[in-house]
Amino acid sequence: MRRSKALAVGALAGAAWLTKRAIGRRINAGSPLWPLPALETPVSGYSPRRWIPALIVSRTEPADGVLSLTLESAELPAWTPGAHVDVQLPSGLVRQYSLCGDPSEQGRYTIAVRLVEDGRGGSREAHAQLVEGAELPVRPPRNRFPLEPADSYAFVAGGIGITPVLPMLRAATAAGTAWTLLYGGRSLASMPFATELAATYGDRVTLVPEDEAGLPDLSPLAALGPDTLVYCCGPAPLMAAVEAAVPESVPVHLERFTPAASGSDARAFTVELHRSGRLVEVAAEESALTAVRRELPNTPYSCEQGFCGTCQHRVLSGTVDHRDTLLTDGEREDSMLLCVSRAATDHLVLDL
Ligand code: FES
């Protein structure tokens, strides 16, 4: 058993500089990976909603269009590989970034931000305004992408998706666990930490810059055995391709940073706010979150795309049309994400 696992992992490591393959086939959306603020256990007595003022002590550019920030504060809680934090930008925008530093460094977080010129503005603001010496409020980490014990790991990352994987590589190495990393990106210059990874970990790391080698060949993943855990973070097509390539017996852990599908079949419905009894009409072209915030402006939210979990609320009655890929089946039984999910019936009652 041990021998066959090593061979399978070795096969993945050898899959360098591969030919382009069609990706896009999508199977089961996979397990949600982030804990939700309302449900998680506070870390070391910290409230998950509390903002902690941290100081930016270092700003570097580990790749074209990528900013890396190191934050320090004695109040920063401990964290584990796969965790992410909310940060509050100077304008008040809240964004989520994976922690990519070393968990053993108490009071210190490192995040990386890729500039998305046509995005919603958070990365542009971060690149323009987050400088050494500035304060950046952060919330205690949450982790829905935890590294579980395994006999071996196959990590797959695309672009900025390398960030949650970095501390996993350190942890797996420290534990003496076999692992490989398949890391793709548009070009080597655009792939943060690529050079350092190759220098540190040698042939366990396979770099696949698309401009030189095309898209990563995921076919070796089909040879993995059930004692290998697959961890993947990157663009949605990459994660869908990884899910499709891995045998059903092999657990796949995905970290999603891309919006959930919204659909074009939205229709109007009514939300009843149980605590006040007020009724809120949700128009077909707006989200339940937008409608609820008209009545309750302090209703928390962050990504508005169904992947941070900040807007999760309990549903007391009615049937939800879940349109996220974050919640577990258990969570879907009595809660919904207001920013993307809608009603399958005409009326929902929320515990708000
Ligand atoms: Fe992030 Fe709804 S605001 S999931």
Side-chain angles (χ1 to χ4, degrees):
M1 178 66 80
R2 174 75 63 179
R3 176 183 167 86
S4 65
K5 278 181 295 186
L7 287 173
V9 172
L12 176 62
W17 318 110
L18 302 155
T19 56
K20 185 169 292 197
R21 71 189 296 271
I23 58 175
R25 184 157 68 96
R26 189 160 193 146
I27 59 172
N28 178 351
S31 57
L33 299 163
W34 292 350
L36 301 165
L39 302 179
E40 69 185 332
T41 302
V43 179
S44 306
Y46 286 85
S47 161
R49 295 227 175 268
R50 176 186 175 221
W51 287 108
I52 302 167
L55 187 69
I56 299 173
V57 297
S58 166
R59 171 180 165 135
T60 60
E61 295 189 7
D64 291 350
V66 177
L67 174 66
S68 176
L69 300 172
T70 300
L71 318 172
E72 287 187 354
S73 166
E75 296 182 62
L76 294 177
W79 59 283
T80 53
H84 75 279
V85 290
D86 294 340
V87 306
Q88 188 174 54
L89 301 174
S91 67
L93 280 178
V94 176
R95 292 290 182 265
Q96 294 76 39
Y97 299 107
S98 293
L99 293 175
C100 58
D102 184 345
S104 70
E105 294 184 332
Q106 290 189 347
R108 171 179 281 230
Y109 290 172
T110 301
I111 59 174
V113 182
R114 177 174 295 289
L115 178 63
V116 183
E117 290 285 7
D118 58 352
R120 295 178 300 143
S123 70
R124 286 196 303 276
E125 182 178 345
H127 277 248
Q129 298 195 32
L130 299 184
V131 297
E132 278 184 24
E135 187 177 273
L136 184 64
V138 301
R139 283 191 175 124
R142 293 175 274 165
N143 196 342
R144 275 223 167 177
F145 193 45
L147 187 65
E148 297 174 1
D151 286 352
S152 62
Y153 300 105
F155 299 106
V156 182
I160 196 67
I162 190 64
T163 50
V165 173
L166 289 175
M168 294 183 175
L169 303 182
R170 294 190 195 98
T173 303
T177 306
W179 61 264
T180 58
L181 168 66
L182 184 60
Y183 178 19
R186 289 193 308 275
S187 66
L188 201 55
S190 74
M191 295 165 60
F193 314 109
T195 308
E196 298 92 316
L197 284 169
T200 304
Y201 297 118
D203 62 7
R204 280 183 284 184
V205 174
T206 300
L207 303 177
V208 189
E210 187 176 349
D211 61 345
E212 299 176 35
L215 296 175
D217 178 9
L218 302 176
S219 60
L221 293 173
L224 294 178
D227 296 327
T228 297
L229 294 186
V230 177
Y231 282 79
C232 176
C233 183
L238 173 67
M239 293 196 290
V242 167
E243 282 187 304
V246 171
E248 286 204 352
S249 59
V250 177
V252 180
H253 298 258
L254 304 174
E255 176 79 309
R256 297 186 186 280
F257 286 92
T258 48
S262 57
S264 57
D265 55 345
R267 63 186 185 87
F269 59 100
T270 304
V271 165
E272 179 179 335
L273 307 177
H274 176 68
R275 296 177 201 176
S276 64
R278 279 179 286 181
L279 297 179
V280 176
E281 300 301 326
V282 183
E285 63 278 7
E286 68 179 352
S287 69
L289 176 66
T290 300
V292 166
R293 281 179 59 83
R294 279 198 298 273
E295 285 289 332
L296 301 173
N298 292 330
T299 303
Y301 70 101
S302 181
C303 71
E304 295 184 84
Q305 297 182 78
F307 57 78
C308 76
T310 307
C311 68
Q312 183 187 7
H313 281 288
R314 264 191 0 117
V315 180
L316 300 177
S317 78
T319 304
V320 178
D321 173 10
H322 292 283
R323 299 188 176 201
D324 65 283
T325 55
L326 180 69
L327 299 186
T328 63
D329 289 344
E331 290 166 336
R332 288 180 177 198
E333 287 177 6
D334 65 357
S335 67
M336 68 181 287
L337 297 182
L338 298 182
C339 66
V340 292
S341 293
R342 306 187 65 82
T345 49
D346 291 336
H347 191 87
L348 288 179
V349 182
L350 299 180
D351 187 16
L352 275 170

